[in-house]
Amino acid sequence: MAWPRLTFVIGKGGAGKSTVATALATYLASSRPTVLADLDQRGSAARLLGVRTPAEGPARAGEGVELRSLSPRRELEHFIRRIVPVRIISNRMLGSRTFAYVTAALPGLQAFLLLSRLSSMAGEAAREDRYVVVDGLSTGASLELLSVATGVRNLAGGGTLNHLAAELESFISDPNRFGVAIVVPPQELALKEALEAASTLRAQLKVDRAIAVLNGAPAPLFSAAEAERAMEAEIEHAGLVRRRLDLDSAAQRIRKELTAAGLAVIELPMLFTAAIGSAEVEQLSRSLRKKVEA
Amino acid sequence: MKRSPIHTTEHRLLLCLGPGGVGKTTTASALGLRAALEGRPVDVMTIDPAPRLLDALHLDATVSDPQEVALDGLSVGGAGRMRALKLDPKHTFDSVVERYAPTRAMADTILDNRLYNNISGALAGVGDYMAMEKLLELYDDPETNLIVLDTPPAREALDFLGAPERLLDLLNSRATTLLGGGLKFSDMAARAVLSAFDRVTGLHLLGDVQAFVRSFEGMYQGFAERAARAKSILAGPECLVLVITTPEELRVEETGAFISSLDQAGISIDGLVVNRVAPAMPGKPRPAKVTPPALQKKLLRNWRDFAALKQRETAALRVLREMLPADAIMLVAPDVGREPRSLEDLAEIAGTIDTADLRKH
């Protein structure tokens, strides 16, 4: 499967976006240099890789993965510095509180600048034959970010911004440059949200490449007969057997419904480990390789 | 049902803060239901409830006034009753404008403003400000004894508490000065850039911002007074501040940052509710005669798997406990393995929220 230049990883809070994004970047880095861009500002990806948060500049993390941190605020600063080349003025502006309120009132300006940044990162990646993985935002916030292009195009009747917005719309609908990975844990509520997100991505945002990553499918352990027998004989452990079965059936049902909705599903195993760190990320990236290359 | 581990009787307001995806709305509703069953008239105000929770509460998503939740089949003590409402920021903002605009014409000017129509849903602060407006309304309602306030998911703890001020700042005289004819150098520069931005982009937003801010002239004072009052209620002794989170490793740091930023803002949290905590582990399975060896092995493997997860969770709970101020309590809400579909489900969750006993985990 040819991978898009930029993969935007989204999902419900706690679904495992950072873990999946980090594992994906680690996997892609085995074939091409890969940038892992952190949008969540919490530095989760860095923590998973066991390196320090790239506060300002890029940081190297392991073989072929470069960590970057993106923030709407910094994009706004870049933008202001670009249109106000006199440093002393641009600095005073950025420091002005009133300026902050007014930019906050300009609908979607920061989101728009952020999306432009993603688009230019994808362009660079295409030129230099690299990949970009973005540890994105929660599903709702991500869809809002992606819809800003259309919003701005409608708001600006003509001019440069209208033109830029149209370019961004074509960026997110280009399967070679842009793809979305929706992370779904084996939970009922997450499934519903993922299906809604997939349909919004397709119908409203015209995103062509969207896949689902089922994060945490446990390997089947008990057959139905074994489970029944175990629950009868081992009262004390019946609860744990039940939890295993529940996880397993939730994963199966979710897999089925995601596939029925026309989404390609990549499945990652549930990690029954006492901690999640670089070794576990490595393990997930190996299983990604197997799934993708199969 | 055991008595609630948090003594809500001394409080009139329960403020639930926390990051997204932790089950905040469910927890807030469960705590509200618990207080109602214990005999208090309760209003639960939610911002963005999952459709299933609306079903569980029998709540109509299109109405933004409090609706009575039928507690049929549950044992309700004394004057207990529960109302729930879903906040619609745009709708509330419209009614606030209509209520406080000096004239009908002024109200119409605001409601027709293009910027107003874009921001009243989207501008950071509007939803939160409107939650405050609704909160004051309920607070002054003699029928209501306890308000449980669920807040929008926040990246920063202060998003909610600071939002009204940010909105007021936009509407205050400094912003008007900026737009009307700047005095300060940096303001003039800001204005110049925005004009350039407008020209280049064809957005023509500056005029709209200006008109928007001007149209609020005369209303600002009222807005500011109500925001100040809401703030004093939230910081006062009648308000119980709870942070809701889950015991996931990657969330622990986020929760810590949340708690310390509240602390820096002078808001002390009264409790942390850790949601979706796994049940306590049984002992390691011992070989039993009745179970065949192959199954015995699988049971052991299953136990080890879940024990590892429990170990991960316990480590997170310990770190969370250390992050809390000594006088704040830590509660755990067990993972029921599913989303609540009915009021009974919610009552079950409500009944199981308990103080955390770290020795047990």
Side-chain angles (χ1 to χ4, degrees):
Chain A
M1 147 162 36
W3 207 265
R5 287 297 164 189
L6 186 143
T7 310
F8 195 64
V9 182
I10 72 173
K12 205 176 156 51
K17 282 183 295 294
S18 300
T19 315
V20 170
T22 311
L24 178 62
T26 309
Y27 155 63
L28 291 173
S30 62
S31 66
R32 307 266 190 291
T34 300
V35 171
L36 175 56
D38 184 5
L39 264 190
D40 84 345
Q41 309 295 307
R42 288 187 274 134
S44 305
R47 212 162 321 130
L48 283 166
L49 290 167
V51 297
R52 290 170 54 125
T53 319
E56 268 302 320
R60 299 216 69 79
E63 208 60 33
V65 178
E66 182 190 310
L67 271 175
R68 269 191 224 170
S69 170
L70 298 179
S71 85
R73 169 76 195 171
R74 211 146 48 226
E75 293 312 315
L76 181 67
E77 288 176 12
H78 281 305
F79 171 74
I80 298 300
R81 297 226 157 91
R82 211 163 55 227
I83 60 174
V84 187
V86 185
R87 190 73 177 211
I88 192 165
I89 299 184
S90 62
N91 278 347
R92 288 182 79 153
M93 271 183 60
L94 288 164
S96 136
R97 277 178 57 198
T98 24
F99 181 74
Y101 309 133
V102 177
T103 47
L106 293 174
L109 175 63
Q110 302 199 14
F112 185 77
L113 295 171
L114 197 57
L115 192 58
S116 319
R117 166 69 58 182
L118 295 185
S119 162
S120 73
M121 282 171 77
E124 259 171 55
R127 279 193 300 280
E128 295 170 18
D129 195 17
R130 285 188 290 160
Y131 289 121
V132 180
V133 176
V134 182
D135 181 7
L137 305 165
S138 68
T139 310
S142 295
L143 296 179
E144 235 175 270
L145 173 68
L146 297 177
S147 67
V148 77
T150 309
V152 168
R153 192 173 49 77
N154 291 336
L155 212 57
T160 323
L161 204 60
N162 180 287
H163 184 65
L164 270 173
E167 260 178 37
L168 290 183
E169 281 179 306
S170 84
F171 161 60
I172 62 173
S173 56
D174 177 355
N176 295 318
R177 283 188 290 164
F178 185 80
V180 174
I182 310 170
V183 180
V184 194
Q187 287 161 12
E188 207 186 319
L189 198 71
L191 169 68
K192 194 170 152 44
E193 197 189 89
L195 291 174
E196 281 169 7
S199 103
T200 306
L201 284 169
R202 239 177 299 193
Q204 281 173 38
L205 300 169
K206 315 284 179 221
V207 172
D208 196 52
R209 285 288 281 279
I211 59 161
V213 178
L214 175 52
N215 182 32
L221 186 62
F222 301 105
S223 69
E226 279 175 333
E228 202 176 315
R229 180 158 191 182
M231 284 196 283
E232 263 171 33
E234 307 273 350
I235 306 299
E236 211 195 348
H237 290 88
L240 287 186
V241 175
R242 164 70 36 218
R243 276 171 72 191
R244 188 79 178 212
L245 294 180
D246 284 350
L247 272 176
D248 198 32
S249 67
Q252 274 181 40
R253 205 169 62 79
I254 287 173
R255 180 189 309 134
K256 210 172 102 193
E257 292 205 26
L258 290 172
T259 314
L263 281 166
V265 182
I266 295 181
E267 214 171 291
L268 292 179
M270 177 129 196
L271 295 179
F272 290 101
T273 52
I276 297 234
S278 51
E280 285 71 27
V281 166
E282 190 62 43
Q283 187 188 337
L284 288 178
S285 82
R286 278 197 303 273
S287 88
L288 255 173
R289 171 200 301 277
K290 264 199 275 178
K291 301 279 152 97
V292 173
E293 287 168 8
Chain B
M1 192 187 287
K2 266 195 331 189
R3 264 203 89 70
S4 176
I6 36 179
H7 304 290
T8 52
T9 40
E10 297 150 26
H11 301 94
R12 280 210 57 208
L13 178 66
L14 203 86
L15 179 65
C16 300
L17 301 164
V22 296
K24 195 163 40 195
T25 308
T26 303
T27 308
S29 308
L31 289 169
L33 179 60
R34 184 157 178 160
L37 297 180
E38 285 174 1
R40 303 189 69 192
V42 178
D43 280 348
V44 176
M45 187 160 121
T46 67
I47 309 287
D48 184 24
R52 280 215 182 80
L53 187 67
L54 286 176
D55 288 350
L57 297 170
H58 307 291
L59 196 60
D60 180 349
T62 58
V63 184
S64 61
D65 286 318
Q67 294 166 62
E68 200 73 39
V69 178
L71 301 178
D72 307 341
L74 297 170
S75 87
V76 188
R81 66 127 178 84
M82 179 163 160
R83 294 190 305 181
L85 76 96
K86 176 183 172 288
L87 185 79
D88 176 348
K90 172 85 170 102
H91 183 267
T92 311
F93 203 173
D94 289 355
S95 61
V96 164
V97 166
E98 275 164 12
R99 198 176 331 148
Y100 296 108
T103 64
R104 181 68 231 176
M106 272 178 84
D108 287 341
T109 312
I110 296 174
L111 297 177
D112 290 341
N113 183 288
R114 181 173 65 135
L115 196 65
Y116 174 79
N117 281 304
N118 275 301
I119 72 157
S120 56
L123 175 63
V126 171
D128 302 307
Y129 183 86
M130 292 310 135
M132 297 258 176
E133 283 282 347
K134 208 76 193 175
L135 170 72
L136 288 177
E137 208 177 283
L138 295 176
Y139 202 79
D140 293 333
D141 184 345
E143 299 277 296
T144 301
N145 185 247
L146 175 71
I147 304 164
V148 180
L149 180 62
D150 169 33
T151 57
R155 191 157 278 272
E156 306 284 339
L158 298 176
D159 274 2
F160 176 74
L161 299 165
E165 267 168 45
R166 286 199 300 278
L167 180 67
L168 289 170
D169 273 333
L170 175 67
L171 300 181
N172 84 0
S173 53
R174 279 204 63 193
T176 317
T177 306
L178 161 72
L179 298 158
L183 297 171
K184 280 180 68 182
F185 175 64
S186 58
D187 287 349
M188 276 162 62
R191 194 178 170 210
V193 168
L194 285 170
S195 316
F197 180 75
D198 253 13
R199 241 189 352 265
V200 172
T201 58
L203 272 178
H204 309 297
L205 275 172
L206 203 51
D208 279 355
V209 174
Q210 204 162 349
F212 177 70
V213 171
R214 286 232 173 100
S215 61
F216 277 92
E217 255 166 41
M219 289 170 70
Y220 174 77
Q221 193 55 31
F223 272 88
E225 276 165 21
R226 285 190 302 282
R229 178 151 178 258
K231 204 175 160 187
S232 79
I233 292 172
L234 289 171
E238 288 192 322
C239 175
L240 193 75
V241 181
L242 294 180
V243 171
I244 322 279
T245 190
T246 53
E248 284 145 308
E249 255 181 323
L250 285 174
R251 251 211 230 291
V252 166
E253 203 147 323
E254 185 183 13
T255 308
F258 215 97
I259 294 170
S260 61
S261 67
L262 282 174
D263 190 50
Q264 275 162 23
I267 299 155
S268 58
I269 84 161
D270 299 291
L272 179 73
V273 184
V274 188
N275 199 14
R276 299 192 199 123
V277 170
M281 287 293 293
K284 189 173 174 179
R286 268 189 292 258
K289 285 188 198 109
V290 286
T291 320
L295 182 54
Q296 198 56 241
K297 237 172 117 181
K298 286 187 180 181
L299 282 169
L300 187 60
R301 154 103 192 268
N302 195 41
W303 180 84
R304 282 207 177 105
D305 283 352
F306 282 110
L309 293 186
K310 192 68 191 171
Q311 198 183 333
R312 201 197 288 178
E313 183 190 279
T314 305
L317 284 172
R318 291 226 163 85
V319 179
L320 286 171
R321 176 66 261 187
E322 275 163 29
M323 285 170 172
L324 275 183
D327 56 347
I329 54 166
M330 185 157 104
L331 303 176
V332 290
D335 189 356
V336 287
R338 61 194 146 83
E339 294 300 322
R341 292 163 191 273
S342 64
L343 214 55
E344 286 72 27
D345 286 350
L346 207 56
E348 190 194 324
I349 296 172
T352 48
I353 295 177
D354 205 351
T355 35
D357 181 355
L358 286 179
R359 283 161 309 180
K360 245 177 31 190
H361 288 284

